[in-house]
Amino acid sequence: MTIPTETITVPNLPAEAEIVIDRWGIPHIRSSTEAGAFFAQGFNAARDRLWQMDTWRKRGLGLLAGDLGAAYVERDQAARLLLYRGEMAAEWAEYGPDAEAWTTAFAAGINAYVDLVAREPARLPLEFKLLDTQPAHWSPEDVVRCRTHARVRNLDAEITRNNIAARFGIEADRFHKLLEPAWTVVAPEGWQAEPIPPEVMRTYLLATEPNAIGSGTPSDPVALDNQGSNNWALAPSRTTTGRAILASDPHRVHEQPSLRYITHLTAPGLNVIGAGEPAVPGVSLGHNDVLAFSLTIHPTDQEDLYVYELHPEDAELYRYGEGWERMRLVEEHIPVRGEAPRAVTLRFTRHGPVLYHDPAGKRAYALRSVWQLPGTAAYLASLNYLKARNFEDYAKALEGWGAPSTNHVVADVDGNIGWAAAGMVPIRPSWDGLLPVPGDGRHEWAGIMRSSGLPRATNPASGWLGTANQMNLPADYDHAAKKTGFEWTDGARFARLSGALAGDHRWSVAETLALQSDVTCVPARRLCALLARMDDAHPAWALLAGWDHRLLAESGPAALFEIWFAKHLVPGVMLALAPEGLPAMVAVPDTQLTLTLLEGEEHAARRDALLRETLSAAWGEATTLLGPDPAGWAWGTLHQGYFEHPLSRFAPELAARLDVGPAPKGGSNLTINNNGWRTKDFRVISGVSWRMVLDVGNWDASVTINSPGQSGDPDSPHYRDLFPLWARDEYVPMLFSEAAVDAAAEARILLRAG
């Protein structure tokens, strides 16, 4: 069969390249040199995702107002505060010996496509036409200086805890977050019980929100939560294939175009396929010819808020030690569409950027973050392990991994499996990182702990390794001396995963796929056990009594449970047990804490009444939403997947063309099949959008999905083609061998020098 082929002449091409696009929109790039492969990756990513990538760059560098107007100046100013401003040689060195050359070729490829669009305006993506804007050229440094495209933590928790402690006392924090391992918050020396102004978090959110194009003001912080990821590896002793099996599904806020992009890069000495972000060279999750790799977030505390006393007569001076230190002021000009550039002043202390400067209150608030250190551009350190041959190579490469903090699970063709936590962790000798600290010198970082100081394991006797953002510090890990953090994601997903993988059952690839899409809800099982102890004639009890605790899209009990749990029980418990006014200070209640409080004895006397009152209220809401007959209820009637393009709100007449969905979905943010939803309308807004399962070594049997599609072009057949499969928890092949790729090819692009 003749494959449609387009030949494009590209100036300054490092080496000729071929891009074979398979029937699922996955590009397989071949070149005679590594530089040629990465150039073609940048060119091809721009071909499919140019507007998304252009927005990524402009948001990260603080250049949105130039396209979108004065309403975005505040966002741009916030973004510029969090840029990397350090020495570039040290920065490149952290990502490996090839990082600068590869990224330079990648940026040149993007620019080559931008130039092609200028020569051939018909290629200009729709979004630029809607906004009357143009794509810009990239420098290699643009890729690495933008720090905020994957959040580090725990500024928001610090601020919430501080404000709770200031109003109710530190002991009231037990109604905010369950700390693990067990830990008692201690006020740092010099900490003052005064609230942190909301402007601090506002600036941070303006700089870090994943989808900033829709508004010049920050969104509800709830939209940034309910995220997580799963990964696990099975040793050959636990599989039916006789090879290791690796499963991976990172979870993030749903976007259109999709956050992830699948790419296959081939050159002499390089053969790697998997998913990354379109604006970042290489891949972060996938495999080369001998090693499979995956990652999830390891919720390490990588940032601190410093509070300064300002000089009573000069607000640019802050107290440090026995004297005063002057802030560093940086004057910059932000381009603004339709008017002259705006001059802004950025303030920095010795600890980092000033998020809020309050001369009237004689306070300033600065962020100290690993982002200010070399090597913390999101996921770029994955370049260092693309050629790893085994776990030892991979672990060595992780020494340069800065951010975000992650759990890496790997498996090789010899059947070895391994896990390593990675990330740059501040060493805090005088405090635990849970509260803001005075910036006067009493609380300084004593260096950075890297991956080699964090937990890791290989080839366990159980025959499997896995993570789901749960507290996974080993029992013998000295968490008091090596304080990585105490704020972890609800362990429900890992509880289900570890329960399923316990024992000695041998897993097939098909069973692994089924587990990856599992919607069994461990909190539902625990709460239904509490209900079973009660004698109640309300019909809600009968509906939940015979339920199997699976949040299936077609399940009526699942609909009732989710309405009850998220909208009535969790907020109801906090309103009943916490000090009055405290629940309103917590943007996202801790579901794991709620269950702990209900199952403990301290509040047993009130438990039954709370369960009864909240479940009765949930039944009433379910009846209103789904009708009087519970036989007709279905979770998927309410809970639906939908990928919204950020411009559809500006052009509602194009919503059907730009948005993708809806489709009924099962699960929640607490099931392995993570589909987190917002309470105002039940829309799925976060969770799984990309997945893969690998029969390690049998690479052409690998499967993946990337919803809603590989392309960001609404007119492309690959803009929404994967959404129906994702909605049904199905997969497509992630082919690797040249023969298999060529057999599935639907198009070919040849890049030729000219």
Side-chain angles (χ1 to χ4, degrees):
M1 182 179 67
T2 302
I3 306 300
T5 299
E6 179 182 16
T7 300
I8 302 175
T9 300
V10 181
N12 303 315
L13 182 68
E16 293 188 347
E18 177 185 36
I19 306 169
V20 178
I21 302 161
D22 67 27
R23 69 186 65 164
W24 303 284
I26 298 172
H28 303 263
I29 295 169
R30 301 163 182 167
S31 182
S32 60
T33 69
E34 292 173 357
F38 281 95
F39 182 100
Q41 184 188 11
F43 183 93
N44 176 75
R47 179 189 65 83
D48 258 340
R49 303 287 192 93
L50 181 59
W51 182 77
Q52 180 188 30
M53 295 168 66
D54 189 71
T55 302
W56 185 100
R57 175 184 173 275
K58 288 171 178 172
R59 180 207 132 193
L61 294 177
L63 295 170
L64 287 176
D67 279 357
L68 303 175
Y72 289 79
V73 168
E74 191 180 5
R75 277 200 188 276
D76 285 349
Q77 183 172 353
R80 291 168 183 236
L81 284 168
L82 301 185
L83 283 172
Y84 175 69
R85 294 174 179 268
E87 205 270 325
M88 286 307 301
E91 170 78 353
W92 288 120
E94 293 288 353
Y95 306 122
D98 302 308
E100 183 175 8
W102 287 350
T103 307
T104 299
F106 178 80
I110 298 172
N111 291 339
Y113 192 80
V114 171
D115 290 340
L116 179 64
V117 168
R119 295 194 303 271
E120 302 178 17
R123 296 181 185 266
L124 186 70
L126 171 66
E127 294 93 339
F128 292 104
K129 298 173 185 176
L130 289 174
L131 295 172
D132 189 24
T133 59
Q134 292 291 323
H137 285 100
W138 292 54
S139 73
E141 291 75 20
D142 295 345
V143 177
V144 298
R145 292 184 64 227
C146 300
R147 292 305 208 221
T148 59
H149 291 289
R151 289 272 299 276
V152 295
R153 43 193 54 76
N154 67 339
L155 180 70
D156 50 352
E158 272 190 36
I159 291 174
T160 298
R161 180 172 293 107
N162 175 91
N163 291 347
I164 288 172
R167 181 173 173 184
F168 301 105
I170 289 179
E171 67 281 356
D173 185 62
R174 66 194 184 99
F175 294 106
H176 162 220
K177 186 70 178 175
L178 184 67
L179 301 181
E180 302 176 279
W183 191 260
T184 300
V185 182
V186 177
E189 181 184 355
W191 176 80
Q192 297 189 36
E194 58 185 32
I196 302 297
E199 289 86 352
V200 175
M201 198 63 199
R202 175 186 171 84
T203 300
Y204 187 81
L205 289 174
L206 283 168
T208 59
E209 280 186 319
N211 195 341
I213 199 75
S215 171
T217 58
S219 303
D220 185 340
V222 173
L224 299 176
D225 202 74
N226 289 341
Q227 300 176 49
S229 302
N230 310 314
N231 62 357
W232 66 93
L234 297 161
S237 62
R238 296 295 308 277
T239 74
T240 61
T241 69
R243 293 175 291 271
I245 292 176
L246 184 140
S248 174
D249 56 309
H251 310 148
R252 290 280 292 276
V253 170
H254 285 177
E255 301 178 24
Q256 174 60 343
S258 168
L259 172 70
R260 310 287 178 189
Y261 189 72
I262 307 169
T263 306
H264 184 188
L265 299 172
T266 307
L270 177 70
N271 193 0
V272 62
I273 187 172
E277 298 187 20
V280 179
V283 300
S284 299
L285 311 105
H287 69 84
N288 58 30
D289 58 323
V290 295
L291 186 71
F293 42 86
S294 63
L295 57 85
T296 68
I297 292 297
H298 185 274
T300 299
D301 183 354
Q302 294 184 290
E303 59 191 3
D304 289 302
L305 184 66
Y306 283 77
V307 181
Y308 305 92
E309 176 190 351
L310 297 181
H311 192 283
E313 297 176 2
D314 187 344
E316 304 300 340
L317 294 174
Y318 61 93
R319 183 176 294 282
Y320 191 80
E322 298 300 318
W324 301 91
E325 196 161 296
R326 185 165 295 278
M327 295 181 191
R328 180 168 64 94
L329 305 185
V330 176
E331 302 292 332
E332 294 191 356
H333 290 81
I334 297 176
V336 181
R337 181 170 184 162
E339 60 181 76
R342 295 274 187 95
V344 297
T345 300
L346 309 178
R347 291 178 171 83
F348 299 86
T349 71
R350 63 166 45 228
H351 299 117
V354 176
L355 300 181
Y356 181 53
H357 185 238
D358 181 17
K362 299 292 186 290
R363 291 287 184 270
Y365 305 85
L367 177 71
R368 188 171 192 181
S369 170
V370 297
W371 278 333
Q372 295 142 28
L373 302 175
T376 54
Y379 304 109
L380 196 70
S382 57
L383 293 176
N384 211 6
Y385 57 63
L386 296 186
K387 295 182 178 180
R389 311 307 292 168
N390 50 46
F391 181 77
E392 290 71 27
D393 287 350
Y394 195 96
K396 182 179 179 181
L398 291 180
E399 278 299 278
W401 188 281
S405 51
T406 42
N407 293 291
H408 294 254
V409 169
V410 304
D412 67 24
V413 294
D414 294 325
N416 300 297
I417 61 174
W419 158 66
M424 295 182 183
V425 185
I427 298 171
R428 303 175 177 91
S430 64
W431 83 109
D432 56 20
L434 292 170
L435 283 165
V437 292
D440 58 11
R442 283 179 283 184
H443 302 287
E444 299 292 349
W445 292 359
I448 293 291
M449 181 167 55
R450 293 178 180 256
S451 178
S452 56
L454 299 174
R456 59 182 54 172
T458 56
N459 297 326
S462 64
W464 75 278
L465 290 162
T467 72
N469 317 115
Q470 85 288 359
M471 202 294 289
N472 61 357
L473 300 178
D476 61 353
Y477 184 81
D478 188 353
H479 65 274
K482 298 181 177 181
K483 296 184 281 289
T484 65
F486 300 92
E487 297 160 316
W488 304 76
T489 299
D490 190 311
R493 285 180 289 111
F494 186 76
R496 171 56 181 160
L497 178 66
S498 58
L501 296 178
D504 57 5
H505 175 73
R506 286 180 174 264
W507 287 75
S508 68
V509 171
E511 288 173 313
T512 304
L513 295 173
L515 182 57
Q516 198 173 56
S517 57
D518 182 85
V519 292
T520 301
C521 181
V522 171
R525 182 185 297 159
R526 292 166 63 182
L527 285 166
C528 286
L530 292 178
L531 292 179
R533 301 174 186 173
M534 302 168 59
D535 183 18
D536 200 296
H538 194 286
W541 265 253
L543 186 64
L544 295 178
W547 179 41
D548 61 5
H549 312 120
R550 291 193 296 163
L551 300 179
L552 297 168
E554 61 270 22
S555 170
L560 174 62
F561 175 79
E562 282 296 290
I563 292 170
W564 174 43
F565 182 66
K567 299 189 69 176
H568 295 273
L569 182 63
V570 172
V573 166
M574 289 301 147
L575 285 171
L577 303 182
E580 184 177 357
L582 188 152
M585 301 171 69
V586 181
V588 184
D590 184 347
T591 51
Q592 190 165 238
L593 173 60
T594 300
L595 281 168
T596 300
L597 292 172
L598 286 171
E599 291 173 331
E601 292 303 314
E602 180 183 1
H603 304 290
R606 304 180 67 181
R607 180 175 56 219
D608 287 1
L610 277 170
L611 294 173
R612 185 173 286 110
E613 291 166 7
T614 56
L615 184 54
S616 177
W619 180 273
E621 182 173 353
T623 300
T624 300
L625 291 170
L626 297 169
D629 183 5
W633 294 357
W635 177 221
T637 301
L638 301 172
H639 186 245
Q640 304 213 335
Y642 192 92
F643 289 79
E644 181 180 6
H645 192 288
L647 295 189
S648 64
R649 70 187 68 179
F650 300 119
E653 70 279 5
L654 294 177
R657 183 179 175 190
L658 296 176
D659 296 351
V660 180
K665 287 294 289 182
S668 75
N669 65 302
L670 298 181
T671 57
I672 292 177
N673 191 353
N674 184 329
N675 293 292
W677 52 279
R678 61 190 186 192
T679 55
K680 69 178 183 180
D681 61 2
F682 300 92
R683 177 183 288 182
V684 177
I685 58 169
S686 66
V688 61
S689 60
W690 176 84
R691 287 178 173 139
M692 72 175 180
V693 172
L694 309 176
D695 183 10
V696 177
N698 184 16
W699 300 124
D700 285 338
S702 303
V703 295
T704 188
I705 195 70
N706 188 28
S707 185
Q710 279 280 96
S711 178
D713 177 3
D715 294 326
S716 167
H718 300 299
Y719 185 76
R720 62 181 73 237
D721 58 327
L722 300 182
F723 177 78
L725 301 175
W726 170 84
R728 299 192 299 268
D729 295 318
E730 296 177 2
Y731 300 74
V732 301
M734 190 165 75
L735 302 175
F736 192 64
S737 72
E738 186 170 328
V741 168
D742 287 345
E746 71 169 20
R748 178 181 286 109
I749 299 172
L750 302 178
L751 301 185
R752 297 290 182 257

